[in-house]
Structure formats: C-alpha cells, structure tokens
Amino acid sequence: KCPVNAFCPHEQRCIACERWSCDICGVVCGDGEDVAAIVEATAAAAVFLDFDRTLSTTKSGGSPLTGRHTMDPELFGLAC
C-alpha cells in the first residue's frame, strides 16, 4: 500500500512506488546525474541527500566500509 503523502493528486500515481515525477507537486525522480543537472540549473544554495540508497548503495544504516558498496559519483561530487 502506498503512503498517503507519496500519492500525486494531479496524476493519480504513487511517486514512491512508480518513481513518478510531477512538476505541479515539485517532485522530480531521477538518478545522480539528474540531481546534479537540477542543482546546476537552479543554482541551489543547499542540497540535502540521504546516505542510504541515495548517496551510497547501503541500506538501513549499514556501514559503507563493509561489503561491496558503491558511491554515486555525481551525488558525491555535489556533497564535496
């Protein structure tokens, strides 16, 4: 079941489950390259990134030092 706050009322789609973007809601789903392009186009003063499954391939707060985790290079560039 989709979280109520993840449902786009304009397109009647779940932003979380379907990775749906909605300009009216102001939500854009994409990868690190998309985020970097938006930051550059809008001259954002700050960007807030979640570490797990966004900046890194870790899940549930797992340590990136154990296992075979990777870092998204575009998002890492924004974070530094």
Side-chain angles (χ1 to χ4, degrees), residues 1-8:
K1 184 175 177 169
C2 300
V4 175
N5 60 350
F7 192 73
C8 171

Side-chain angles (χ1 to χ4, degrees), residues 1 5 7 10 12 23 31 35 37 40-41 48 62 75 78:
K1 184 175 177 169
N5 60 350
F7 192 73
H10 309 103
Q12 306 298 309
D23 291 334
D31 60 10
V35 173
E40 184 177 324
F48 297 90
L75 293 179
L78 288 176

